[in-house]
Amino acid sequence: MATKKILIIEDEEDVQELLRYNLCREGFECEIAGDGDLGVAKALSISPDLILLDLMLPEIDGLEVCRKLRNNGQTDTVPIIMVTAKSDESDIVAGLELGADDYITKPFSPKVLVARVRAVLRRKKKEKAKQDEIIRIHGIEIDPGRHKVKIAGETVNLTSSEFSLLRFLASRPGWVFTRYQIVDAIHGNDYPVTDRSIDVQIVGLRKKMGDTGSCIETVRGIGYRFKEY
Ligand code: CA
């Protein structure tokens, strides 16, 4: 397994050292940022595998850092473990709602810290594997990792929105979705997604899929469903 890079965003030197020492000893590679702005900048430049984020930081606080990391496409999926004082319960809740993955309270035992880091990395790896799982149904092969679709072994070229649409429907065969639910689930990058544009895209998608396009069924008055059998 490749060495995992951990970014420590923490202003107190003794805590920085404690974190760094214990993580390095376990084979992790550590980078330190002493304040929030530097933390965000480093997160962008070094692409860490995980971020340990102190919530009590000078200038911009940890929650703001968390928000910035989650709002940037480059860092929005990097796991974040908040490091905080026990008394900061409302901050912990706010942080989790902003998309942090876990938290650890000071003072922490090094063993617990390392266990938490490993657990979060494991969880993310599993999630990612699931996201990248190839969907095979009715002769269609959808490869989310490579962003490719094949029908009966032939590659079909789809736009990014068409791909998301097909993947969304095909991953839940038999379920009926309203246009609104579909709009909500897929965020088109190449197309402003509205409920009307879903209809247009379905037409385009079916056409590209040829006969197999009939797998996408219109449910009158409700929305769409991917054929289950
Ligand atoms: Ca601090």
Short mmCIF file of all heavy atoms in Angstrom, two decimals, residues 10-12 54 56-57 106, ligand 1:
data_model
loop_
_atom_site.label_atom_id
_atom_site.label_comp_id
_atom_site.label_asym_id
_atom_site.label_seq_id
_atom_site.Cartn_x
_atom_site.Cartn_y
_atom_site.Cartn_z
N GLU A 10 -3.25 22.73 12.30
CA GLU A 10 -3.22 22.90 13.76
C GLU A 10 -2.25 24.03 14.09
O GLU A 10 -1.18 24.10 13.51
CB GLU A 10 -2.77 21.57 14.37
CG GLU A 10 -2.37 21.61 15.82
CD GLU A 10 -3.56 21.84 16.73
OE1 GLU A 10 -4.44 20.98 16.80
OE2 GLU A 10 -3.61 22.90 17.37
N ASP A 11 -2.66 24.92 15.00
CA ASP A 11 -1.78 26.05 15.31
C ASP A 11 -0.87 25.79 16.51
O ASP A 11 0.19 26.38 16.62
CB ASP A 11 -2.60 27.32 15.54
CG ASP A 11 -3.60 27.15 16.66
OD1 ASP A 11 -4.22 26.07 16.74
OD2 ASP A 11 -3.75 28.08 17.46
N GLU A 12 -1.28 24.91 17.42
CA GLU A 12 -0.45 24.70 18.61
C GLU A 12 0.69 23.73 18.31
O GLU A 12 0.45 22.60 17.88
CB GLU A 12 -1.29 24.12 19.76
CG GLU A 12 -2.24 25.13 20.36
CD GLU A 12 -3.47 24.46 20.91
OE1 GLU A 12 -3.36 23.86 21.99
OE2 GLU A 12 -4.51 24.51 20.24
N ASP A 54 -7.89 21.04 13.25
CA ASP A 54 -8.19 21.65 14.55
C ASP A 54 -9.31 22.66 14.34
O ASP A 54 -9.30 23.40 13.35
CB ASP A 54 -6.91 22.35 15.06
CG ASP A 54 -7.14 23.05 16.38
OD1 ASP A 54 -8.06 22.65 17.12
OD2 ASP A 54 -6.38 24.00 16.68
N MET A 56 -10.21 25.08 16.60
CA MET A 56 -9.85 26.38 17.18
C MET A 56 -8.57 26.89 16.54
O MET A 56 -7.48 26.60 16.99
CB MET A 56 -9.62 26.23 18.69
CG MET A 56 -10.89 26.01 19.47
SD MET A 56 -11.78 27.55 19.71
CE MET A 56 -10.83 28.25 21.06
N LEU A 57 -8.75 27.64 15.46
CA LEU A 57 -7.59 28.17 14.74
C LEU A 57 -7.66 29.69 14.75
O LEU A 57 -8.74 30.26 14.80
CB LEU A 57 -7.60 27.68 13.29
CG LEU A 57 -7.35 26.19 13.02
CD1 LEU A 57 -7.73 25.84 11.60
CD2 LEU A 57 -5.90 25.82 13.31
N LYS A 106 -9.59 16.45 22.30
CA LYS A 106 -8.34 16.62 23.05
C LYS A 106 -8.66 16.54 24.54
O LYS A 106 -9.68 17.07 24.95
CB LYS A 106 -7.74 18.01 22.79
CG LYS A 106 -7.25 18.24 21.39
CD LYS A 106 -6.69 19.68 21.32
CE LYS A 106 -6.57 20.16 19.90
NZ LYS A 106 -6.23 21.57 19.79
CA CA B 1 -5.88 25.38 18.18
#
